Amino acid sequence: MKKALVTGGAGFIGFNLSRRLLDEGYQVIAVDNFITSSTQNINILNTYHGFTFINHDINNPFTAELEKACRDVETIYHLACPTGVPNLGPLAEEMLLTSSVGTRNVLELARFTGASFLFTSSSEVYGNPGVFPQAEAYEGNVSPVGIRSPYEEGKRFAEALIAMYVRKYGVDAKIVRVFNTYGIGMSLDDTRVIPRFLRLLKDRKPIEVHGSGKQTRTFCFADDLVDGLIIAERTGERGEVYNLGSDREITILSLAEMIQSVSNIKSEIVFTSGVSYDHDRRLPLLDKIKQLGWSEKTALESGLLKTIHYIAL
Ligand SMILES: NC(=O)c1ccc[n+]([C@@H]2O[C@H](COP(=O)([O-])OP(=O)(O)OC[C@H]3O[C@@H](n4cnc5c(N)ncnc54)[C@H](O)[C@@H]3O)[C@@H](O)[C@H]2O)c1
């Protein structure tokens, strides 16, 4: 039986990825310390044959239990990282340490087991982009000391560390820069825009749109994202970087209206002051991942409908 390690396996994407690998017949070891998740997804994954959960902070040295369980892993999906814009302050240190010390610990495991390694980086490495769409070769516009830097620079450092492990130690690593993703397995306590809107709807409260609502985003359904992670891991080239997400832009106001219409719950839309360090727009160039055979399959309306059914709004 093939064996994979998923760091951050209790989180939103880790849950969807673990489920897919288990469905394919993999043995999956998920590692997480629940810093931005809960036991909810693990309780579901625990019902699968072949699933093992180890509660561990990857910033700490690996325990004997973890090393033993991971001795024969073939693939490592390294997703662990604290997420969420409101966490940029309170979890700044954890973001920086997980991207650096934690990522090094996981890379060392890949080096010694010979496992292939896939890292979920982020569109945030482009910072506040001056170029649209963003190709992988775009070097970004990031302040090393700005409020967003613990996440943005953390991901950039992790990418640099991985590139070094590829060159110096020959680790078979790929980097995927994930753009906004949504879907089943997101906690309604998650502060990202889609779960935040769904939470407000569930509580029958007005939907709060930050700023004018004219800022745009793209949203990729988790199933499609998982397809892309697996394709990049299995057919991508060692040391390469791939953007992954949706390239269909929507304004945040239109998103709020679409969520109202799909959920069939009418509630007021109110405008609140946004955070000053929010970005106006983000748009991936997806040619590289499409050349590996990936395509986005799920329209936003149908992905939202599936998400809404799952959380029983
Ligand atoms: N969801 C998105 O839209 C999006 C966009 C860009 C990048 N990403 C990246 O994808 C990955 C998964 O994101 P997600 O949306 O599932 O977020 P998430 O917060 O739901 O999952 C991340 C998981 O990592 C765990 N974690 C954090 N630090 C850890 C540590 N030191 N040790 C062990 N576990 C730790 C958290 O507890 C959480 O369960 C992250 O690396 C994130 O940066 C996600």
Side-chain angles (χ1 to χ4, degrees):
M1 205 187 233
K2 288 184 176 172
K3 203 178 203 184
L5 169 68
V6 179
T7 75
F12 157 54
I13 297 175
F15 166 68
N16 284 283
L17 174 64
S18 297
R19 268 205 323 184
R20 176 76 64 84
L21 293 171
L22 288 160
D23 285 341
E24 283 186 359
Y26 270 77
Q27 225 179 312
V28 173
I29 302 163
V31 172
D32 208 296
N33 66 350
F34 299 118
I35 193 166
T36 51
S37 58
S38 70
T39 54
Q40 198 179 323
N41 289 335
I42 294 299
N43 292 339
I44 299 170
L45 292 171
N46 267 331
T47 64
Y48 284 75
H49 173 71
F51 181 73
T52 308
F53 176 68
I54 298 177
N55 188 336
H56 180 76
D57 180 339
I58 60 157
N59 301 343
N60 296 329
F62 284 4
T63 58
E65 181 201 13
L66 190 51
E67 277 183 354
K68 188 168 172 234
C70 292
R71 203 170 287 150
D72 51 352
V73 288
E74 288 168 18
T75 315
I76 299 172
Y77 290 93
H78 176 35
L79 278 60
C81 183
T83 54
V85 171
N87 289 330
L88 285 167
L91 299 183
E93 185 175 4
E94 288 81 357
M95 286 177 184
L96 286 162
L97 290 179
T98 304
S99 296
S100 54
V101 177
T103 297
R104 182 168 189 264
N105 286 337
V106 184
L107 279 164
E108 282 291 290
L109 185 72
R111 185 179 157 201
F112 287 107
T113 56
S116 56
F117 180 100
L118 180 125
F119 175 62
T120 50
S121 184
S122 169
S123 56
E124 297 284 331
V125 298
Y126 299 123
N128 199 7
V131 168
F132 291 89
Q134 291 90 52
E136 289 84 351
Y138 176 54
E139 289 171 5
N141 173 28
V142 177
S143 162
V145 292
I147 299 283
R148 300 180 81 101
S149 66
Y151 188 77
E152 294 177 344
E153 292 290 16
K155 290 290 188 187
R156 288 167 72 96
F157 179 85
E159 289 197 12
L161 194 63
I162 292 162
M164 184 276 282
Y165 266 75
V166 171
R167 290 187 201 112
K168 185 169 178 182
Y169 300 117
V171 169
D172 179 11
K174 291 114 195 173
I175 294 168
V176 172
R177 292 184 183 148
V178 177
F179 284 66
N180 278 351
T181 302
Y182 71 99
I184 287 161
M186 282 190 120
S187 158
L188 285 193
D189 296 328
D190 196 312
T191 50
R192 288 171 282 194
V193 62
I194 289 183
R196 189 169 64 77
F197 282 179
L198 294 177
R199 163 109 256 161
L200 290 167
L201 271 187
K202 193 174 173 92
D203 296 344
R204 301 298 188 266
K205 289 186 175 157
I207 299 186
E208 289 177 6
V209 169
H210 292 159
S212 67
K214 288 186 185 142
Q215 65 276 31
T216 67
R217 292 289 182 275
T218 63
F219 297 98
C220 182
F221 190 55
D223 286 3
D224 291 346
L225 191 96
V226 166
D227 285 347
L229 294 180
I230 290 176
I231 287 173
E233 204 293 310
R234 293 181 190 162
T235 63
E237 277 189 41
R238 177 186 299 228
E240 280 299 317
V241 179
Y242 300 92
N243 284 338
L244 183 60
S246 171
D247 53 5
R248 299 174 202 166
E249 284 185 279
I250 182 168
T251 67
I252 296 298
L253 179 56
S254 302
L255 173 72
E257 290 164 350
M258 187 185 282
I259 287 182
Q260 278 186 330
S261 131
V262 171
S263 66
N264 225 354
I265 302 174
K266 280 275 159 261
S267 69
E268 200 190 344
I269 293 178
V270 295
F271 295 89
T272 60
S273 56
V275 284
S276 58
Y277 46 84
D278 203 8
H279 297 324
D280 282 344
R281 196 180 163 210
R282 213 28 101 40
L283 183 65
L285 187 72
L286 297 170
D287 291 0
K288 266 182 91 173
I289 191 78
K290 285 182 181 169
Q291 276 160 17
L292 297 183
W294 180 84
S295 61
E296 186 185 8
K297 298 193 177 74
T298 315
L300 186 52
E301 291 93 329
S302 65
L304 285 172
L305 192 62
K306 286 182 191 171
T307 309
I308 285 166
H309 278 160
Y310 184 78
I311 57 171
L313 212 63

